[in-house]
Amino acid sequence: MTRRIGILGTEQGPQVQVLAEALRQRKAEVVLIDPKRLTCFLPEGRTLYRRPDGGEIWLEELAGLIVRSLPGGSLEQVIYRVNALHFLEKRGLKLFNSASLLEKTVDKSYTSVLLAAAGLPVPRTIVTERLDQALEAVAGMGKTVVKPVFGSLGRGIVLLEDPDTAYRAFRALEMGRYVYYLQEFLPNANEDYRLFVIGDQVVGAMRRKADGWKTNIACGGSAEKYDPPPEIADLALKSAKLLQAEYLGVDILISRGQPYVIEANGIPGWAGLQTVTEKNIAALLADYVLEEIGNGS
């Protein structure tokens, strides 16, 4: 029997395309779904996707749904899209990843809280809405990395090295009603590591290097093949298990010999990783999704 799998994401996304092709090669029918075109009906308890061509699909009739995009918008729009995923799960649809996992990882401060509470190593972090507290944090930590609570690809991340610069940056954030999410800068060799977890396995890893402190591929970093030692792989697996992820991108930085979990991404890309590994990441993810659906989990 042909299994009908939905992919929540933009049709133009290259990783959506390679994942869709991998699923089709495994005899699955693929439905590409725009996350901005969902309509929930109560008390029927159904969720409709109406395609631009007028065709309609009731999403709870899918065999599974892979979340590859959860676009930004107003607070109401973002909450509604996540709630729609919760709604589908209540109706029994298997999601990769779950709405709960996405809530945990879309908010960097929430991710850090969960990791730290479980005893996993994270950088010294201070989160506040108060300008005076943010300035005190910089004075206490010295070099400080300021990150947007919501964000990806390294965009919006700033390194502050003196109080005057910090004050100007924080006043700009204050005007935009942002939260100050601050982490102590950890000295390193301008490199960190992205580990890609599917299920209970690290299926690929890369070292990201750059001329400056920001190593994201989207910000000019380069990728190298990386074979993580057991203790680093174990840290990524513990993070995935803690967050209850079906698949996860885990960023780890080593400073003064100590590894730290910098970030966990619930909708991880793998374009950079794919350039340095012989494994087909899309194929591995497709195999995992189909096996999980087949197991009825």
Side-chain angles (χ1 to χ4, degrees), residues 11-250:
E11 253 182 86
Q12 295 78 19
Q15 286 162 99
V16 168
Q17 291 296 323
V18 296
L19 181 57
E21 181 57 28
L23 288 164
R24 293 187 185 107
Q25 290 175 359
R26 288 153 178 77
K27 310 304 180 186
E29 179 186 348
V30 177
V31 180
L32 301 182
I33 300 165
D34 184 342
K36 298 179 181 180
R37 298 180 67 89
L38 304 181
T39 305
C40 298
F41 292 87
L42 293 171
E44 298 87 348
R46 307 192 75 190
T47 302
L48 177 70
Y49 170 58
R50 182 170 288 135
R51 298 194 306 257
D53 64 8
E56 295 183 345
I57 300 167
W58 295 100
L59 296 191
E60 61 270 6
E61 296 175 0
L62 296 169
L65 178 66
I66 306 170
V67 181
R68 286 302 312 158
S69 176
L70 197 63
S74 70
L75 180 60
E76 285 189 358
Q77 289 173 319
V78 172
I79 289 176
Y80 166 67
R81 291 163 193 162
V82 175
N83 286 347
L85 297 180
H86 277 297
F87 195 36
L88 287 167
E89 288 184 297
K90 292 290 186 184
R91 294 280 293 167
L93 181 62
K94 175 70 173 178
L95 268 59
F96 305 83
N97 279 304
S98 70
S100 176
L101 179 281
L102 297 172
E103 287 175 331
K104 294 171 185 172
T105 56
V106 74
D107 178 344
K108 290 185 176 68
S109 64
Y110 189 16
T111 309
S112 295
V113 165
L114 294 171
L115 294 172
L120 297 181
V122 299
R124 183 183 175 195
T125 301
I126 296 174
V127 188
T128 182
E129 293 186 61
R130 292 178 56 89
L131 175 63
D132 58 339
Q133 288 287 92
L135 290 169
E136 285 180 21
V138 173
M141 291 193 291
K143 279 190 178 183
T144 304
V145 178
V146 182
K147 297 181 178 181
V149 170
F150 304 116
S152 61
L153 304 176
R155 298 190 181 110
I157 300 177
V158 177
L159 177 62
L160 301 177
E161 301 189 54
D162 64 80
D164 289 340
T165 304
Y167 180 80
R168 289 193 296 271
F170 291 161
R171 285 307 301 265
L173 291 173
E174 184 181 44
M175 292 175 64
R177 297 184 179 180
Y178 290 99
V179 171
Y180 306 110
Y181 176 64
L182 315 172
Q183 289 189 325
E184 181 180 15
F185 176 77
L186 298 173
N188 61 83
N190 290 338
E191 64 181 34
D192 63 9
Y193 307 93
R194 161 61 65 92
L195 282 72
F196 201 98
V197 178
I198 299 179
D200 60 359
Q201 296 183 19
V202 174
V203 300
M206 65 177 173
R207 175 188 286 110
R208 300 183 299 193
K209 294 181 67 69
D211 292 333
W213 65 276
K214 196 181 291 190
T215 62
N216 303 74
I217 303 298
C219 297
S222 60
E224 297 179 357
K225 185 176 180 179
Y226 175 62
D227 295 316
E231 62 272 17
I232 299 299
D234 185 58
L235 194 52
L237 292 173
K238 285 180 177 177
S239 300
K241 184 177 181 180
L242 169 71
L243 298 171
Q244 297 179 301
E246 303 287 348
Y247 73 114
L248 192 71
V250 182

